[in-house]
Amino acid sequence: MSLLTLEAVTRSVALPDGARLDILKGIDLTVEVGDHVSIVGRSGSGKSTLLNILGLLDSPTSGRILVDDEPVERFSSRQRDRKRGRDIGFIFQQFNLLPGRTALENAMTPLLYASGRQFFSRASIAAEMLERVGLGHRMSSMPDKLSGGEQQRVAIARALVRGPRLILADEPTGALDIETGASVMELLDDVAEQSGAALITITHDANVAALARRHFRLDRGVLAPVDVNRALAMSESADRALALPSGESA
Amino acid sequence: MTELEKTPVRRAPRRERGGWASGFLGAVVEAWDELRIHKTRVLLSLIGVGVAVCALTSVVGIGAIAQQAQIEQLERGSGRPATLVLSPPYNPETGQQGDPAIMAEAAATVVERYAIGYAGSTQWMQLSAQFRDGVSLVDAQAVDVDYGVMHRVQVGQGRWFVDRDELRLAPAIVVSDQFWQRLGSPDLRTHPTIQLLGEDPVTAVVVGVLPVQPFDLSLRAYILNSAYASLATPEQIAQAWPQYEFWVPPDMATELTDLIRRDVAAACGEGWQVDVNRQDYLAWEGGEDPTASIRMVLAGIAVLILILGALGLVNISLVTVRQRIREIGIRRSFGATAPRVFFAVMMESVVATVVAGVAGVVVAVAIVQNPVVRDFVAFGLTDVPPFPVEAALLGLGAATAVGALAGLLPALVAVRVKVIDAIRY
Ligand SMILES: Nc1ncnc2c1ncn2[C@@H]1O[C@H](COP(=O)(O)OP(=O)(O)OP(=O)(O)O)[C@@H](O)[C@H]1O
Ligand SMILES: [Mg+2]
């Protein structure tokens, strides 16, 4: 059984001038429990669109999504929201912490939508998670008083408090310098590993992508597996950004 | 990390269901956090609601006190509900008036037969009083001890008559403030006296002084019937026109009116016309509350203020919910369902207005209970009513309703937020 399966998923939008833009063109992807997947692609290639579909935030124009082998279209929107809250944790490039709330309150947010013990002991669960990401001493700090790396660690804690089975990270290191990005990524990789959650990372950074076990490339709405060794070799030559295969044009 | 799953077990597709308690509590917690973080804007938007609730509650509360004051005023004049008045019997053929002695006996029989707890006769007359600076006529009313209870008579100082006063050789009198000042404002503990001129001049002792009434310059006095009987000249007694009052339970008033009329008519004999009427304020206009119209006007004004406050709140919540679209998107991505977002945004308004409402009610209670305000609204109330609970409940209810109504629009905006658009950067 797979945690998440995409079958011939497409996504197109109508542009204001009436034309149709096909962002995703027939994506097939299977994510197993505990999987670690990276997706690279140029800006505008449809990575965020794909991630929104993976996170049940958006629906495909055609094709099917199965969660635990169950088609998602069978869920009501409310069930989808609940499933997302329980099973999926998001990490965004811009951190997306709630302003004006402390690190602890931010980490607690998803638990407000849980029930039972998770809801009632949300403060201690969130505090424990902040300790794990090394921010036990900054719990009552506001996001604007935290560095980018610290903010992203709060976001990681927030994504993990409900113990999701799938973590979706959209360019988690995009707003961080290389070293900070590397340490944040290491942490994310670590906690995902420990909790047994599957991790899908979207990135520009080959070093970040290299942490994953399976590698994909999204190009003009088409998802294709990438040879790891080749990607790593390329990352060495191109250092940070994952170089595009020659002959590729914008 | 007990919450996290480590093993790839198949989860049975179960129905998604959240605990009701945690769902509700969560929304309230969320709303409260939201308010706490936006203290200033919340405070500003709530001033209107708080003031409106305060106004509404005060108006209703003061209305209740003013009503009590008006009722007491009316009761002082015409007795408490239900007061039945037996006028002297009258013979339409001879133009004669009934014998006071027969009437007194008939009244006493009636009181005994129907176990009427409070009753008494009353008559008006003028007395000549010998003040230090000359003789003055005093508007006097001869009453029984019960009159004090039946008309809720209040004294400013000293006391009302008690049964013991019936036995005094020097009759007791209760006088108006003007009367007392004319005496030189003596201390009542020194038992000030005054000469009353009549058949046999007597020295009366002032035992009580009525409260100061603005613009009241009349010399007035209450004297007991028994004392007046020994003071009055035969001519005065002949011209006396005493009427009897009976304080009876309101639900028996109609029945007793007929019974008393019948009994007294029987005692007087053939040819006499006997009138018994209910005279307290509730007997007028079919028992309608005479203060109702004033209160309607006041409540109307308060509701208007409340509507204005609510409009201000709607305005501010609409503006701020637009600024929070991104935040709502983030919450949605962490599992907030659309109904939950709707409810939480709605709760923000409700929690806020309830807090404002409580503050408004507290201030209203402070205003209404303030002695200065009380004296202004209703000077010299005997039965000071406690702060009317219905006013407080009305204030809180109105605050909650306003919050729910004001929260509806922003909640609709919030629930329409498209998550992917909200978190796109
Ligand atoms: N709702 C929409 N309406 C119109 N165009 C859209 C919409 N959503 C996405 N697009 C377009 O689809 C393309 C893919 O968008 P997407 O955000 O998925 O790119 P991306 O790969 O995440 O890029 P980046 O690396 O810059 O974040 C872009 O050209 C974008 O302009
Ligand atoms: Mg993107």
Side-chain angles (χ1 to χ4, degrees):
Chain A
M1 183 193 70
S2 318
L3 178 58
L4 192 70
T5 309
L6 265 60
E7 287 176 0
V9 164
T10 71
R11 180 73 173 105
S12 38
V13 292
L15 294 178
D17 59 11
R20 220 174 67 134
L21 175 66
D22 296 319
I23 306 173
L24 299 177
K25 303 164 185 164
I27 307 277
D28 292 301
L29 179 67
T30 303
V31 181
E32 303 296 338
V33 177
D35 223 346
H36 189 164
V37 174
S38 76
I39 298 172
V40 294
R42 280 184 305 165
S43 183
S45 58
K47 301 186 299 292
S48 298
T49 306
L50 175 60
L51 203 82
N52 287 339
I53 288 175
L54 288 169
L56 312 184
L57 289 172
D58 198 3
S59 300
T61 309
S62 70
R64 288 212 306 174
I65 308 174
L66 299 109
V67 176
D68 295 328
D69 297 337
E70 231 192 313
V72 163
E73 64 257 30
R74 257 194 232 155
F75 297 164
S76 70
S77 72
R78 194 176 176 148
Q79 283 174 317
R80 212 172 299 186
D81 289 334
R82 291 242 162 88
K83 191 137 197 85
R84 182 191 315 125
R86 202 176 52 216
D87 287 342
I88 301 175
F90 285 90
I91 295 163
F92 306 96
Q93 177 176 0
Q94 299 304 329
F95 321 135
N96 276 346
L97 296 181
L98 301 180
R101 281 139 176 106
T102 63
L104 182 65
E105 285 166 340
N106 263 288
M108 269 158 58
T109 310
L111 295 169
L112 278 174
Y113 310 112
S115 56
R117 195 191 84 86
Q118 283 203 336
F119 175 80
F120 289 104
S121 22
R122 56 191 181 283
S124 59
I125 295 173
E128 193 184 316
M129 195 55 78
L130 282 174
E131 294 276 4
R132 287 201 54 200
V133 299
L135 284 177
H137 59 299
R138 298 305 299 272
M139 295 215 202
S140 45
S141 301
M142 293 294 172
D144 56 358
K145 298 288 185 302
L146 293 171
S147 74
E150 286 166 337
Q151 289 186 55
Q152 195 62 304
R153 281 192 278 161
V154 174
I156 290 172
R158 177 177 62 178
L160 283 161
V161 279
R162 285 192 71 180
R165 296 195 294 152
L166 175 62
I167 301 166
L168 297 176
D170 190 352
E171 301 189 34
T173 60
L176 304 173
D177 62 59
I178 301 169
E179 270 159 55
T180 315
S183 76
V184 162
M185 226 23 242
E186 211 171 303
L187 174 75
L188 179 57
D189 197 47
D190 229 36
V191 285
E193 188 95 34
Q194 282 175 30
S195 63
L199 174 62
I200 299 179
T201 315
I202 283 178
T203 184
H204 279 122
D205 189 334
N207 292 317
V208 169
L211 286 168
R213 279 195 287 279
R214 296 204 293 144
H215 306 261
F216 290 90
R217 219 179 106 69
L218 188 63
D219 185 26
R220 294 184 195 159
V222 178
L223 191 72
V226 172
D227 181 352
V228 190
N229 298 328
R230 201 178 141 214
L232 268 179
M234 267 188 294
S235 86
E236 266 148 36
S237 60
D239 193 21
R240 281 184 59 197
L242 188 73
L244 301 166
S246 56
E248 189 94 23
S249 59
Chain B
M1 295 304 294
T2 50
E3 300 301 318
L4 305 180
E5 291 207 359
K6 293 195 171 81
T7 43
V9 261
R10 175 174 166 91
R11 276 193 195 188
R14 56 172 147 144
R15 277 199 63 76
E16 317 274 325
R17 207 162 44 80
W20 273 108
S22 51
F24 177 81
L25 273 178
V28 174
V29 169
E30 212 175 303
W32 177 251
D33 281 348
E34 191 60 37
L35 295 173
R36 197 168 44 79
I37 280 146
H38 302 286
K39 281 185 211 85
T40 340
R41 74 135 173 116
V42 168
L43 225 73
L44 280 174
S45 68
L46 287 185
I47 286 173
V49 175
V51 167
V53 168
C54 178
L56 185 69
T57 311
S58 301
V59 157
V60 176
I62 285 176
I65 291 169
Q67 186 189 21
Q68 177 68 20
Q70 194 173 353
I71 286 173
E72 287 191 10
Q73 185 101 35
L74 292 166
E75 286 174 346
R76 236 165 262 148
S78 50
R80 294 159 78 160
T83 299
L84 307 182
V85 176
L86 166 65
S87 306
Y90 169 76
N91 191 324
E93 271 164 47
T94 58
Q96 256 186 320
Q97 199 195 312
D99 182 352
I102 293 175
M103 194 178 160
E105 206 183 304
T109 314
V110 163
V111 165
E112 201 169 319
R113 182 171 302 160
Y114 303 114
I116 295 170
Y118 290 88
S121 79
T122 168
Q123 57 184 314
W124 296 86
M125 82 290 296
Q126 289 204 311
L127 293 177
S128 306
Q130 176 72 61
F131 290 98
R132 236 170 302 167
D133 52 354
V135 175
S136 285
L137 282 179
V138 175
D139 290 319
Q141 195 178 355
V143 295
D144 285 321
V145 176
D146 283 355
Y147 185 93
V149 176
M150 292 166 66
H151 288 255
R152 243 194 245 276
V153 177
Q154 195 202 7
V155 288
Q157 41 175 323
R159 59 171 176 81
W160 179 252
F161 300 115
V162 292
D163 287 338
R164 218 168 352 100
D165 290 329
E166 304 268 16
L167 309 171
R168 295 170 84 111
L169 289 176
I173 54 171
V174 173
V175 302
S176 67
D177 183 68
Q178 196 62 29
F179 189 118
W180 176 69
Q181 283 185 26
R182 184 81 184 273
L183 280 174
S185 308
D187 186 343
L188 290 190
R189 282 170 302 187
T190 64
H191 306 291
T193 57
I194 174 110
Q195 278 264 306
L196 296 178
L197 309 176
E199 181 78 346
D200 289 311
V202 292
T203 303
V205 181
V206 177
V207 295
V209 180
L210 298 173
V212 188
Q213 300 253 299
F215 314 114
D216 180 16
L217 298 178
S218 64
L219 298 176
R220 288 180 295 120
Y222 286 107
I223 187 166
L224 284 173
N225 279 314
S226 52
Y228 177 63
S230 57
L231 177 69
T233 61
E235 302 88 68
Q236 277 176 319
I237 289 173
Q239 285 164 17
W241 192 275
Q243 56 181 25
Y244 283 82
E245 293 182 348
F246 309 97
W247 187 26
V248 302
D251 54 345
M252 292 168 64
T254 319
E255 192 188 344
L256 280 174
T257 304
D258 294 337
L259 289 174
I260 294 170
R261 186 184 294 127
R262 189 198 66 192
D263 289 5
V264 175
C268 290
E270 201 69 23
W272 292 91
Q273 186 179 320
V274 175
D275 278 332
V276 179
N277 293 303
R278 183 169 171 185
Q279 71 161 9
D280 60 89
Y281 70 96
L282 281 184
W284 310 340
E285 298 168 26
E288 229 174 83
D289 178 357
T291 63
S293 52
I294 310 165
R295 292 202 295 161
M296 292 283 272
V297 171
L298 291 179
I301 295 170
V303 166
L304 217 65
I305 303 172
L306 198 63
I307 290 172
L308 290 178
L311 284 178
L313 189 66
V314 171
N315 190 14
I316 291 178
S317 347
L318 264 184
V319 170
T320 49
V321 85
R322 285 185 205 288
Q323 295 169 347
R324 285 169 39 211
I325 281 178
R326 184 183 184 83
E327 179 185 322
I328 290 163
I330 296 168
R331 289 183 180 280
R332 292 295 305 269
S333 70
F334 284 107
T337 60
R340 172 61 182 273
V341 166
F342 182 91
F343 189 59
V345 172
M346 181 109 156
M347 278 314 279
E348 266 170 49
S349 283
V350 175
V351 169
T353 54
V354 165
V355 170
V358 169
V361 168
V362 167
V363 173
V365 171
I367 289 174
V368 174
Q369 299 291 75
N370 187 306
V372 178
V373 175
R374 287 228 147 173
D375 280 356
F376 184 76
V377 176
F379 184 78
L381 225 49
T382 40
D383 273 8
V384 178
F387 187 85
V389 177
E390 70 269 19
L393 289 181
L394 181 79
L396 281 182
T400 313
V402 161
L405 277 177
L408 199 62
L409 235 57
L412 283 175
V413 171
V415 89
R416 276 155 184 261
V417 167
K418 285 213 74 181
V419 188
I420 49 168
D421 295 334
I423 59 175
R424 164 170 291 140
Y425 34 84

